Amino acid sequence: MEPPVHEEVRTTTCYMCACRCGIKVHLKNGEVRFIEGNPDHPLNQGVLCAKGSSGIMKQYSPARLTKPLRRKAGAERGRGEFEEISWDEAFAIMEERLAKIRATDPKRFAIFTGRDQMQALTGLFAKNYGTPNYAAHGGFCSVNMAAGLIYTIGGSFWEFGGPDLDRAKLFVMIGTAEDHHSNPLKIALSKFKRNGGRFISINPVRTGYSAIADEWIPIKPGTDGALLLALIHEIIKQGLYDRDFLAKYSNAAELVNLDPNSPEYGMFVRFEVPPEEGCFDAQNKLWWDRELNRPVSTHTLGVDPRLLGEFKLSDGTPVKPAFQLLAERVEQYTPEWAADITGIPAETIRRLAHEMGITARDEKIELPISWTDSWDVEHKTITGNPVAFHAMRGLAAHSNGFQTIRALGILMSILGTIDRPGGFRHKAPFPRPIPPCPKTPKGPEDVQPNTPLNGMPLGWPADPDDLFVDEQGNPVRIDKGFSWEYPLSVHGLMHNVITNAWRGDPYSIDTLMIFMANMSWNSTMNAEQVRKMLNDKDENGEYKIPFLIVADAFQSEMTAFADLVLPDTTYLERHDVMSMLDRPISEFDGPVDSVRIPVLPPTGQCKPFQEVLIELGSRLKLPVFVKEDGTRKYRDYPDFITNFETAPGSGIGFLAGWRGKGGEKSMRGEPNPNQWQMYEKNNCVYHHHLPKSYQYMRNWNQGYLQWAQAHGLTRYAEPINIHIYSEVLQKFRLAAQGKTDGRQPPQHLRKRIETYFDPLPFFYEPIESQLSDKHKYPLNAVTQRPMAMYHSWDSQNAWLRQIHTYNYLYVNPKTAAAQGIADGDWIWVESMHGKVRCMARFSEAVEPGTVWTWNAIGKAAGAWNLEANANECKQGFLLNHVISEELPAHEAGAHVSNSDPVTGQAAWYDVRVRIYKAGDDEEKATWPQFDPVPPAPGTPARRGWQSYFAGKFTNKD
Amino acid sequence: MTQLALVIDLNVCVGCHACVTSCKQWNTSGQAGPMFDDRPYGENPTGTFFNRVQTYEVGEFPCTETVHFPKSCLHCEDAPCVPVCPTGASYKRKEDGIVLVDYDKCIGCKYCSWACPYGAREFDENQKVMKKCTLCVDRIYDESIPEDRRKPACVISCPTSARLFGDVHDPDSEVSIAIRENGGYQLMPEWGTKPANHYLPRRKTKMHIHEDELTRADNPLKKEDIRHETSKDTTLDDWLM
Amino acid sequence: MHPAFSVIFLTTLIGVGQGLFLALFSAQAYGMAKILPVQSNEFFATGGLIALLFLLGGLFAAVFHLGKPSYFITRAWRGMTQWRTSWLSRELIAMPIMIGLTFIYMVVYHFGLDADLYGWGVPGQLPLTVGIATTVAAIALFICTGMIYAAVKFLQEWACALTPVNYFLLGTASGFTLATAYAAAYGDGLVQFFGNWAIVLTLAGLITRAASLFRNSRIKRKSSVQTAIGVRHTKVQQKSMGMMGGSYNTREYFHGKTAAFLKSVKWIFLALTFALPLFLLWVGLVMGDNGLFLLAFIFQYVGLLFERWFFFAQANHPQNLYYQVVG
Ligand SMILES: Nc1nc2c(c(=O)[nH]1)N[C@H]1C(S)=C(S)[C@@H](COP(=O)(O)OP(=O)(O)OC[C@H]3O[C@@H](n4cnc5c(=O)[nH]c(N)nc54)[C@H](O)[C@@H]3O)O[C@H]1N2
Ligand SMILES: Nc1nc2c(c(=O)[nH]1)N[C@H]1C(S)=C(S)[C@@H](COP(=O)(O)OP(=O)(O)OC[C@H]3O[C@@H](n4cnc5c(=O)[nH]c(N)nc54)[C@H](O)[C@@H]3O)O[C@H]1N2
Ligand code: SF4
Ligand code: SF4
Ligand code: SF4
Ligand code: SF4
Ligand code: SF4
Ligand SMILES: [Mo]
């Protein structure tokens, strides 16, 4: 007799990737029967991707950690030899250790997190603990995208904004394979195509989204800056820019002081110098009035400013509008110049510029929506120039990415497409001031024992005084974030943490806690050496990084190195919030946040990491987690979410929906004890629809800005003008030139700062290329995300790993032929840092100077509880072995991170390689190989075969 | 007579494999399940799937097209896999044209799969019976499912809605219109199997720019009429009375 | 196609059985027509038993072609229900009939049963009737077996009249070769008769099998990767088949051997099935060396295993167009 079938449907939020779609989980006898997209969810509207549809196999994966583990006494790190311990023991170990560190030198505790979505909580924990050594994945992910655009237009692609494909006519996608906006982007793309939109993809490789583009423009990696600047050149030359938009909504018409002897050289001229209160663009700059031919205060009613020309102020100061400087800058960047660099014919570049400019100008959209701008001017309509862009790591993951993305922001701006229909649209909490207000502490004195950090662990420097350095200009953070080496490293540099801690540069630490990051494998560069560093001991036989705590849900490559493993729950087993304080899932039309609510009980001893933090915080008596009397403040994580407020009585908490005692308020209001239930009833999502008049032009939309200020999304309601010309960068440059009174860079970094902190976008060759022998290493090697795999998570997934069981290096047949390589051959990929053996697969869909592979398919033997002969560790390979976390020694230093010099963004895609055939006598397997680790205690048995049938995981036939 | 089918729009399919795994999860726990996986965590993992997404490259660099190509049973109108079955396990439903296998009758002789030119059938190595796409018969008529979701699992999951589902014999259905208006075609028409599933080809949007559009009166550069200093050279003005 | 050993043994073993029976029956018929001397009952009974053993061997192999051997008991009967459309179903009917009749034939001879069925007043009417019925069954079974393959139009190597002809000729050739050896072992006078026929049939089989090889080497494929995915371009290449660890589609339809391997199998089967047996039969007949006939049969049977393997391996299924490249 079969037991009676009990079917049940529960809603929650997917976390097979960072996109966060709404799901409905069908349960049968308590096992997952089917996961479907929630049709009532704004993000995915009922669809579900390949990963989301494979959630069942994640839930029942044999790689699941189910017990807290301690490294066996005497066992080497990396061998994966553990003993089970209880949570009580685990907490006792952590409490003792962390309390001691906190009482002595809190920066000796570092906590870094990977592709998680709870930075608001982890950040809060770090701040309250008092350590500056905290960051999430942003630095190795796409911080260039965030910083490049936020420092230019006050918002960015990534989770904070995107292309309005509902209304766009032309869509240009640059360097994007799959993205965080996975399902929504796919939904939008197909609608866009069906509506007859034109889709152009610029990418060295044609796969995935690019496959369905109307036109594919192959480009050489790292050269998009040249292309974008040439496009700007052509658009300005042809007069295809939106003059009106630029004049009103950007600093294009603002006059820049060009007196080389002035300490204000390169800064905007201000007609009065009131103390600038707060972090916003004070409206005290000058335009040159076209009619009266003299300077006037910007945004003076009825004035039409000059965008081009050169003028003299009455005191003789030579000035130029910022746009003139831009025009001069791009003068040299002709399509012909760019053609040589990018490999794109000049004719194509010109045509592209014309298509963009003409579409923007001639296909204008006028929406009958009235709104009032920040200068009290009422507008009857909203105008849109329907050219939309989207770009991601193809631009970001290069060491010239920041300036390239600045160029993209400027291109989008001169086309007049910012927060307008058919162009780029913001998502709450963006737009934010340029740069946003939060700042890190400024020096070592801000880190004190038993004291919360004096500032945010991550922030947005506006000038050199905002850096987090000591008197000598040396970094305070272990990752050297916010130092002169990478001043605007707004997301930190997680990719250098292990190397720095190992070398003791800038100092040694005691305990490193890693949450949800596979830092010994796919999210680290130079994986092989980093694994050795994790295992390296000093003269006294002590590990150089003495204590390593890893919180993970699965037996990854990283857990093998842990001294203490904390088993997390899966997304189906825990509460979670996609918070407005962090990275919510907002839509163009208003703020949206969402939650996860457990649909299954935790497996084994699994404990949500949130609960771990709250417990630890309470034990350590960190101020936010305890009452005045030192007793525990929050029962658990759900209780914390319900009751936490950013400041007592602020009415702002993690969740924006159903606030107020009875859930009658939104965005802001007292804690509501029933908030979770209200989310649960509403598909786990809260969607605040802004009135139509607040949905566009938000940088300058008075109504919106005041609403945003009132609801705590932004501190100021001042307009957020686009930074065509970046004073922030100029301030750093002036400091480097020794022209300022404030902090100045150490000598060896002056040149670097002066070069890369150019207030106008410029093109330079990626730094690794500058330092490489390009004859020896003629090719660029890049990776792409496969749509059916999330980083390294999914090799444990029985269904997904059948789709990508191992990976090839894709090579253009011409490139291969030059090396005598045949399709399917075993080859070596070698960079100046290292080499890896893999198999070649021919592809006509890759630019001949580029080779590429799917990211993170290769695995270390035994990891993820795969069998030791799994294809992932035999034929699958990791490109990270040939990428270095540090550049070769050069004038900026011996151990400078392989990153963007402005933001510290990991320059994954700068690596240059050569390929050659592996010898016939060589083993037909990838290299390097690692000794297999055994299954960790508590991981479920690995099935030799399976027939999954909900309700009876079975071996039934 | 009804003939249910899928119409797959290659113009928007991005090759995401959503249809592959949603098919697997729906069907493994449904009437067609369970669906076997062999060596799920070992070497050369393999398993029963009713739907696969493949990739092809067309042309040579730089004129390359990448085509993502999903394929499941095409529910042929003249299904060659049916008459060859010795047991009657393979059958085509009269009422809606769905081609199905009755697992209780199948003897696993594999003959039907030999008779499918599309490689659309998969043998379940555990149950030892032939399996294939059921067009989700256990979804599309299930009245406990809301009507707009009463579609195959692969259709509701497809993020680009590249998969349309409906009656290809009803000229007014969404699928028939799509086939008619977008050049829908069948696979391997040379065999006369008349697949019910159709594919829609790539369609390109191009932009044509006329020269005039580059030289327009409203060119903003005209507003930047920078007055150059007047020439010191003598002009006709100085001479003519 | 991936050659399945169950099918290789099935078709070759029943081919021998059917062929041997036909040899016995021709001897019986010639005997009744007084063209050849009449043989003892025991000759036919023992011969029938040998044929039966081969047929049962084939049946045994067939069981392993079912999804599960247990289906033989629980479900195989269903396989006879679709005789209107399915050649496989027809074979599943013809085979037990053939086996049953062969058994009866053997019993009839063993017990010397007879009856004046038609009132002709001559002996042998019952054996003749059973013999004719079994002959019809044997021929029908040959046709069914051949048509199972010839009827799959997508397998262009098979979809041809030569396929059933080959099944018939190769089966009878091996049967007659065995009959020769049997007659020789029995010390019987039919060695020349069977031997000559074995040579004739083997030669005929060589001609038709060579014809099919010739035809197959020149096949114009109806399907191409272009028609498979519906993209008209001269250069279309698969980059991924959607899975990497293999699937039913890669296991069932690919032999997984090199072209060179295939070629050597071809030469081996040509030598073993045709050249060697012909030579041994000829030598045996000329020199009167009876020992060579058994050797000829063994060679020929082993040759047929290679032949059948090759028959499957050479067939290229259009579904393979979808399963070319892992990526
Ligand atoms: N060569 C190359 N390397 C790259 C990139 C590239 O493009 N090329 N991309 C980079 C980028 S952008 C990123 S963001 C990083 C990503 O790199 P990581 O952040 O390291 O991502 P993963 O390795 O997928 O996942 C990290 C860990 O999260 C664990 N995990 C999964 N679910 C849960 C959970 O619910 N709870 C807990 N506690 N743990 C969980 C997984 O088991 C895994 O060990 O990789 C970077 N590395
Ligand atoms: N399925 C799936 N989805 C994911 C992830 C995943 O692992 N799997 N990871 C998530 C994460 S953490 C992130 S950060 C996002 C990243 O999303 P994407 O930014 O789309 O990430 P990548 O896969 O690195 O794709 C980079 C693309 O840029 C191209 N490219 C490389 N160099 C250049 C260049 O110089 N110029 C141009 N024009 N193109 C270039 C590559 O060919 C590739 O197509 O995806 C998220 N979404
Ligand atoms: S895109 Fe896919 S994996 Fe990511 S959240 Fe959505 S359904 Fe889940
Ligand atoms: S696609 Fe194959 S299995 Fe499906 S109906 Fe047609 S012939 Fe039969
Ligand atoms: S495998 Fe099953 S469905 Fe296919 S022909 Fe044989 S009995 Fe029929
Ligand atoms: S219709 Fe159903 S069974 Fe067929 S491919 Fe789609 S999901 Fe799978
Ligand atoms: S789900 Fe849709 S877009 Fe994705 S592969 Fe399948 S058909 Fe293509
Ligand atoms: Mo990322």
Side-chain angles (χ1 to χ4, degrees), chain B residues 6 19 22-23 27 50-51 72 133-136 152-155 163:
Chain B
L6 298 174
C19 49
S22 64
C23 170
N27 286 298
F50 296 167
N51 182 31
S72 49
C133 158
T134 65
L135 219 57
C136 289
C154 58
V155 173
R163 306 174 76 89

Side-chain angles (χ1 to χ4, degrees), chain C residues 87-105:
Chain C
W87 281 106
L88 180 51
S89 190
R90 290 167 195 160
E91 187 196 42
L92 290 176
I93 295 168
M95 194 149 91
I97 292 178
M98 176 69 199
I99 292 172
L101 286 171
T102 311
F103 177 73
I104 293 169
Y105 185 81

